[in-house]
Amino acid sequence: MLKALYQALADKPWLLLLGFSFVVSSIGNGITYIVIFSELIRLAAPTTSLALAYVLSTVPGLIGSKIGERYCQSANPFKILIVGECLGMLGLLAPLSAVTTGSIPLFLIAQTASAFTIGMTFPAISKIFKTGLTEKELPVATTLETIIFACYVIFGVCLGLLLLGHISVMSLLVLDASSFVIALILLRLSQSRFAKTFIKVSPSQAQINWRTLSGVQRRGILLLPLLALAAAPAMALLPALVPPTFSGSEAQSMALALLFARSLGQLAGPLILNPEKFEKNSNSNVLMVSCLFAFITCYGLVPFSPSKYLALAFIFMAHLFSNVVFSLAIYTILKKFDEVHISAAMAKSYRLQMMVTALVSIGAGYSAQYFGVVYSLYLFSGTGFVLIVMLSLGERWLKQKSVNFRPEQQ
């Protein structure tokens, strides 16, 4: 995959600039992420608040994705990305206020701006990739999109962990603001080098009707929500999964290290896939179920890890597996929908994913207060996995029934 990614970036300057713009922006977003969660942990925020912080870092994307989908139909998606960066910079006012007042609710509100802009830009990125890349290059687009998704913590968390405690929190937020400015410049340069023309259609033409979609298209849209069903509870509870052998400042550092290991796994997951086998792997329910089982198993072992390095390894491997599923889900949507409908399909899948994330994350957070973090993890992620297995078996049964039925019709 690395070779294919290198060739695509070398051949397409706009893609290289677009990738760099998101990497630079990700540095700032990751720093803010560290500021918010380190302050919540320092203020001894309850498990419910930590889960709610995770929800607020994703759910406002529901509204953002709807806006992004609508504007992608008639406007240049690069403009949407630029607007998103501007809104993200304005959103820094919330964490600045939260730091000065020490208010937990303000820290939670600070998560919403980032989630909104991510949701708004998600359909735009998909349309840019679908228009600017060939069908053979779609696996590269999937990998780059996954890397962009992970990089906001990879670089930002790494830098945040190194600088946290050495410079003030205000200085960290100023670094975030600077990253937005640089990202805006790179986006403008990328837009100027993008040679292809985007198709503009009316809202009615761009809409997708669930009843008219093929089985493969429906499956593609549902893959991200299914992933969230099993993975979101575990991710929401991650800061609270620190083994009981750690306490005080050591527990805080361990929680942040787990977040970093999570993003390393997210980055590495798509890189282990063979781009020539994307089509085959994207249609495999066995691969999806196996990866999700490995994900839940690794998370379930974290609270019992005798060593911090073993706990970090479990989290890394868990997200290595989960992002294999994520990459194949993105690829399926890019592959099975044309340029006219790609934004609507991606936005629909994203919204379903966010709704599932909200429900199971809030449920897991409240459940953890009464039954403990470990039991809550097993209950919600385990139930999600069982439902996925049942749906996969049901889909397989329907396919077999369809195959057996056709000769009789003839």
Side-chain angles (χ1 to χ4, degrees), residues 244-263:
T245 51
F246 299 93
S247 60
S249 60
E250 190 178 26
Q252 179 182 357
S253 299
M254 183 61 185
L256 296 176
L258 288 173
L259 294 173
F260 180 61
R262 181 187 80 179
S263 294

Side-chain angles (χ1 to χ4, degrees), residues 176-187:
D176 190 357
S178 302
S179 71
F180 279 112
V181 174
I182 298 172
L184 282 169
I185 296 172
L186 291 171
L187 276 175

Side-chain angles (χ1 to χ4, degrees), residues 251-307:
Q252 179 182 357
S253 299
M254 183 61 185
L256 296 176
L258 288 173
L259 294 173
F260 180 61
R262 181 187 80 179
S263 294
L264 279 178
Q266 289 173 332
L267 178 64
L271 299 180
I272 66 175
L273 289 168
N274 185 341
E276 296 179 358
K277 295 182 178 180
F278 255 68
E279 180 68 24
K280 178 182 177 181
N281 290 335
S282 65
N283 294 319
S284 174
N285 284 339
V286 174
L287 178 62
M288 178 184 71
V289 170
S290 300
C291 287
L292 291 179
F293 177 77
F295 171 88
I296 294 171
T297 301
C298 289
Y299 255 89
L301 293 172
V302 170
F304 307 105
S305 302
S307 164

Side-chain angles (χ1 to χ4, degrees), residues 28-285:
N29 287 334
I31 290 173
T32 302
Y33 185 84
I34 280 295
V35 168
I36 290 172
F37 273 95
S38 64
E39 288 294 297
L40 287 175
I41 295 170
R42 183 183 65 82
L43 294 171
T47 304
T48 307
S49 295
L50 293 174
L52 188 58
Y54 177 76
V55 172
L56 290 176
S57 70
T58 53
V59 173
L62 288 169
I63 302 172
S65 68
K66 195 66 178 177
I67 295 174
E69 175 190 345
R70 180 58 61 91
Y71 277 93
C72 276
Q73 297 162 3
S74 57
N76 188 319
F78 275 101
K79 294 181 180 179
I80 301 171
L81 297 183
I82 292 171
V83 171
E85 293 293 333
C86 293
L87 291 176
M89 189 157 46
L90 288 174
L92 288 177
L93 294 175
L96 282 170
S97 301
V99 168
T100 56
T101 60
S103 169
I104 291 178
L106 273 177
F107 277 117
L108 299 180
I109 293 173
Q111 295 286 73
T112 61
S114 175
F116 178 83
T117 55
I118 290 174
M120 189 174 69
T121 57
F122 209 63
I125 296 172
S126 301
K127 187 165 186 177
I128 290 171
F129 286 156
K130 184 70 176 181
T131 304
L133 299 176
T134 64
E135 187 171 304
K136 187 178 179 181
E137 292 171 328
L138 288 182
V140 172
T142 302
T143 302
L144 187 59
E145 193 160 344
T146 309
I147 290 174
I148 289 170
F149 177 78
C151 272
Y152 86 100
V153 181
I154 283 293
F155 296 103
V157 166
C158 183
L159 187 61
L161 287 173
L162 290 174
L163 297 178
L164 191 65
H166 294 87
I167 65 174
S168 68
V169 172
M170 287 294 186
S171 298
L172 289 174
L173 293 175
V174 170
L175 280 177
D176 190 357
S178 302
S179 71
F180 279 112
V181 174
I182 298 172
L184 282 169
I185 296 172
L186 291 171
L187 276 175
R188 292 290 296 177
L189 292 173
S190 177
Q191 181 183 2
S192 66
R193 286 163 173 76
F194 192 88
K196 294 189 177 181
T197 304
F198 294 101
I199 298 175
K200 296 181 180 181
V201 294
S202 65
S204 60
Q205 289 177 307
Q207 285 182 353
I208 55 175
N209 189 327
W210 185 261
R211 290 176 296 180
T212 61
L213 296 179
S214 67
V216 176
Q217 288 176 319
R218 291 180 183 180
R219 180 180 179 275
I221 289 176
L222 291 175
L223 279 176
L224 287 179
L226 289 175
L227 174 61
L229 195 62
M235 295 172 68
L237 296 172
L238 178 57
L241 286 176
V242 176
T245 51
F246 299 93
S247 60
S249 60
E250 190 178 26
Q252 179 182 357
S253 299
M254 183 61 185
L256 296 176
L258 288 173
L259 294 173
F260 180 61
R262 181 187 80 179
S263 294
L264 279 178
Q266 289 173 332
L267 178 64
L271 299 180
I272 66 175
L273 289 168
N274 185 341
E276 296 179 358
K277 295 182 178 180
F278 255 68
E279 180 68 24
K280 178 182 177 181
N281 290 335
S282 65
N283 294 319
S284 174
N285 284 339

